[in-house]
Amino acid sequence: MYTSLQNVKQAISVERKLIDYLRTYIDHELERLEDIKHKDLYKGPATAMVNPLVAFTLIKRLHSEWLNVVYSNEAPENLQLRSSFEEEEADLPKVEDLQGAAKGLMRLQDVYALQVSSLVRGRFQRVTNGEPFDVYMPAVSVPLSGDDCFLVGKVAYEQEDYYHSVQWLEESVRLFRGAGGEWSPENEGTLEDALDHLAFSHFKFQTGNVSYALSLSQELLHHPMNGRVLQNVEKYEKLLVAAGPPRGNGLRRPSSRYLRTRDTYERLCQIQGSQRTHFANPQLFCDYFANDNPALMLMPARREVLSLQPYVVLYHNFITDAEAEDVKRLAQPGLRRSVVAAGEKQATADYRISKAWLKGSSQSIVGKLDQRISLLTGLNVKHPYGEYLQVVNYGIGGHYEPHFDHATSPSSPVFKLKTGNRVATFMIYLSPVEAGGSTAFIYANFSVPVKAAIFWWNLRRNGDGDDDTLHAGCPVLIGDKWPVANKWIHEYGQEFQHRCSLNPEE
């Protein structure tokens, strides 16, 4: 080339083409970079993270998308980026976090009857009277990608929960098709993966939709595949000949150990404490309450009696914002994943999220709250007659299944303090939420929205447990139920404050 200027001039056109190729590549990379930055989210991360869709996509990015980008075969020269990434690796979400976040989304879908098609668009809608209805319009939202939906569907698939896998994988396939099957380095799944999982989900699920499973598998034949897909096609074709038309039973939710109370629980969660017929009872009232205590005469509590059986009271403005922040600050270092009673032992719970136990002197914020609780209830709440303040932080879809606070078995850990059973519960909400998070009293058929503090008796005066106190914590839809503080008060130490009775009705 150097022997002819004409050839050198021709080389200019070649470089122009290369520059155009490079410009196109850079434009694509800039688009990916903008997507990774998510500028709107980081302008106000505290606000954004109260949206479970935003929180889920953040966990997914940190667990798998960044990993796929940093170690992509398309960028093997990223040694400095890889080194920096490995320095932060210990603080990144684990696979358990990603699976838990996906399960949390499915729980919100179920409890609030949300349409998966609306969640994919970043909205929270359910169908009411045949029309989509916005349960809540979040200030910050984000649509889900085909890969996001694939991950949720895959988590359900691996648990053999084909009810959820079918719905999420349907959306994944639709979104992947809409993108022309284009693959990005940060993606975990592909259109082929989604089709494969969806076909088998339809085959395994109660719909018995073998013909649709066959159709999806036949579509897979047009993509690079493994031999198993061809075997599946042959299997489905034989099944169709033998079984005839599909059964068509429709999608049904999987069974649950709480199936007997599930419908009531979910209905109470959906109404979020707005049950008018319950609160129309003329015996319920609001007042300024001093409990005949001189310390409350000048500043009585704003009391609202929510229920007479069981006896449940709401105390408005029980705690100030500054006090709530102090409790959060104290609890943060000690938060540990929650455990629940499992016979005589305790087991890790996959639904309660995290908790911490706080104890303090009479001058500390914890001591002041204990004193305030004692003034309102007239009970002795000092340890061991009252347990240390338990602070709970809810995560994505975090909730409590229906349960009693009092022990129902003589071997319960509740009796370790040797101060009897839990006679009463005082629950303090330390932050408001935008939607969801109510406390549902299942048998009593009402729910309490996230407000101030609530108190109820767990035991009747003869020492028997009150079955009407069966309650559950609804998952937070939008907001940070961070935290809730529980004070459990025991029987012993209350002999003169809350006298016994042989009447089983008291």
Side-chain angles (χ1 to χ4, degrees):
M1 182 180 291
Y2 72 91
T3 62
S4 169
L5 285 178
Q6 188 61 36
N7 288 343
V8 174
K9 289 178 181 178
Q10 289 176 353
I12 293 174
S13 64
V14 173
E15 187 176 37
R16 281 179 182 151
K17 289 181 181 179
L18 290 175
I19 290 172
D20 288 339
Y21 295 149
L22 181 60
R23 186 174 290 116
T24 301
Y25 170 77
I26 291 173
D27 288 343
H28 287 158
E29 289 300 300
L30 285 173
E31 288 177 10
R32 285 179 49 215
L33 186 60
E34 287 301 310
D35 185 50
I36 290 173
K37 283 181 180 177
H38 293 271
K39 291 180 179 178
D40 290 340
L41 300 186
Y42 294 126
K43 284 178 181 176
T47 302
M49 287 307 116
V50 301
N51 184 325
L53 297 176
V54 177
F56 167 76
T57 53
L58 172 66
I59 290 173
K60 177 174 174 286
R61 283 200 307 278
L62 290 175
H63 175 265
S64 57
E65 291 185 16
W66 274 101
L67 191 72
N68 294 338
V69 168
V70 171
Y71 293 99
S72 169
N73 290 331
E74 297 182 7
E77 71 283 357
N78 286 341
L79 296 179
Q80 183 176 353
L81 180 60
R82 291 183 183 185
S83 175
S84 301
F85 180 81
E86 287 166 0
E87 288 178 11
E88 305 295 334
E89 208 159 6
D91 295 324
L92 295 177
K94 307 296 186 288
V95 64
E96 182 184 17
D97 300 308
L98 188 57
Q99 291 172 346
K103 292 175 186 176
L105 287 186
M106 289 184 273
R107 184 178 300 121
L108 291 174
Q109 170 197 343
D110 290 343
V111 172
Y112 296 104
L114 302 175
Q115 299 292 298
V116 175
S117 57
S118 73
L119 290 172
V120 169
R121 300 193 310 273
R123 300 180 69 173
F124 299 85
Q125 293 181 321
R126 63 170 169 259
V127 174
T128 304
N129 298 324
E131 295 292 329
F133 165 75
D134 281 300
V135 177
Y136 188 81
M137 291 287 288
V140 178
S141 190
V142 59
L144 301 181
S145 67
D147 193 56
D148 295 332
C149 296
F150 171 72
L151 190 141
V152 178
K154 186 182 176 190
V155 169
Y157 177 93
E158 289 172 347
Q159 291 188 305
E160 299 183 0
D161 174 7
Y162 302 114
Y163 167 80
H164 289 103
S165 70
V166 163
Q167 296 179 73
W168 285 92
L169 291 170
E170 287 277 12
E171 290 297 324
S172 176
V173 167
R174 181 183 65 80
L175 291 167
F176 274 134
R177 282 174 177 162
E182 185 178 334
W183 180 80
S184 298
E186 59 267 25
N187 281 359
E188 188 86 3
T190 62
L191 174 59
E192 293 82 8
D193 293 327
L195 285 168
D196 191 17
H197 285 75
L198 179 59
F200 193 72
S201 294
H202 271 292
F203 167 65
K204 291 291 289 184
F205 196 58
Q206 295 163 335
T207 55
N209 202 340
V210 179
S211 60
Y212 191 43
L214 174 60
S215 173
L216 293 168
S217 296
Q218 287 172 334
E219 182 180 346
L220 259 178
L221 294 177
H222 299 288
H223 299 275
M225 55 160 190
N226 56 41
R228 181 176 52 78
V229 175
L230 193 56
Q231 292 174 2
N232 285 347
V233 169
E234 294 172 354
K235 177 181 180 180
Y236 298 151
E237 287 174 338
K238 290 178 181 177
L239 284 171
L240 275 177
V241 172
R247 297 190 300 274
N249 290 332
L251 290 173
R252 290 189 207 164
R253 283 176 63 182
S255 185
S256 162
R257 59 181 291 203
Y258 301 100
L259 192 60
R260 189 164 59 91
T261 58
R262 185 171 71 183
D263 289 346
T264 302
Y265 163 64
E266 292 178 357
R267 176 178 54 80
L268 292 172
C269 289
Q270 290 170 21
I271 63 176
Q272 300 185 56
S274 61
Q275 54 277 7
R276 295 176 184 173
T277 54
H278 173 83
F279 293 125
N281 185 344
Q283 292 181 290
L284 303 180
F285 61 91
C286 299
D287 66 356
Y288 285 98
F289 179 67
N291 200 22
D292 295 327
N293 193 305
L296 294 175
M297 288 298 181
L298 294 178
M299 193 176 290
R302 295 170 57 194
R303 178 177 67 165
E304 182 179 351
V305 178
L306 301 177
S307 172
L308 298 176
Q309 180 50 45
Y311 183 76
V312 181
V313 177
L314 171 65
Y315 292 106
H316 294 269
N317 303 119
F318 175 80
I319 188 170
T320 67
D321 291 343
E323 289 172 334
E325 289 303 317
D326 284 344
V327 174
K328 293 180 188 181
R329 178 178 49 79
L330 289 172
Q332 183 76 49
L335 282 174
R336 297 290 183 272
R337 188 172 176 183
S338 186
V339 296
V340 291
E344 297 183 20
K345 300 181 180 179
Q346 292 184 320
T348 300
D350 65 354
Y351 59 78
R352 292 201 181 183
I353 319 307
S354 302
K355 69 180 182 182
W357 297 88
L358 299 183
K359 52 184 175 180
S361 66
S362 59
Q363 302 303 315
S364 69
I365 179 58
V366 176
K368 290 176 181 177
L369 290 178
D370 278 351
Q371 184 181 28
R372 203 171 301 163
I373 293 170
S374 183
L375 290 173
L376 287 173
T377 63
L379 299 175
N380 183 353
V381 302
K382 292 182 179 179
H383 192 80
Y385 308 119
E387 296 179 35
Y388 293 125
L389 194 69
Q390 185 206 60
V391 182
V392 180
N393 182 215
Y394 286 62
I396 302 173
H399 72 304
Y400 278 83
E401 297 284 11
H403 66 285
F404 296 107
D405 281 357
H406 62 271
T408 57
S409 165
S411 59
S412 169
V414 168
F415 293 113
K416 283 185 177 179
L417 284 177
K418 302 187 185 303
T419 52
N421 210 336
R422 289 171 173 169
V423 68
T425 294
F426 201 99
M427 178 187 292
I428 309 166
Y429 293 114
L430 299 177
S431 62
V433 301
E434 296 177 50
S438 303
T439 299
F441 286 84
I442 311 299
Y443 294 153
N445 197 31
F446 73 96
S447 58
V448 185
V450 179
K451 288 183 181 178
I454 56 177
F455 168 81
W456 69 87
W457 297 107
N458 294 309
L459 305 180
R460 298 185 182 277
R461 284 187 178 269
N462 66 353
D464 291 341
D466 187 345
D467 290 344
D468 287 335
T469 62
L470 182 76
H471 62 286
C474 300
V476 176
L477 186 58
I478 298 288
D480 186 4
K481 197 170 178 180
W482 172 204
V484 172
N486 295 306
K487 185 71 176 183
W488 286 304
I489 306 161
H490 285 237
E491 293 175 282
Y492 297 1
Q494 321 306 335
E495 291 83 357
F496 300 105
Q497 286 86 352
H498 185 68
R499 293 182 180 275
C500 300
S501 169
L502 296 179
N503 185 351
E505 299 302 318
E506 291 188 50

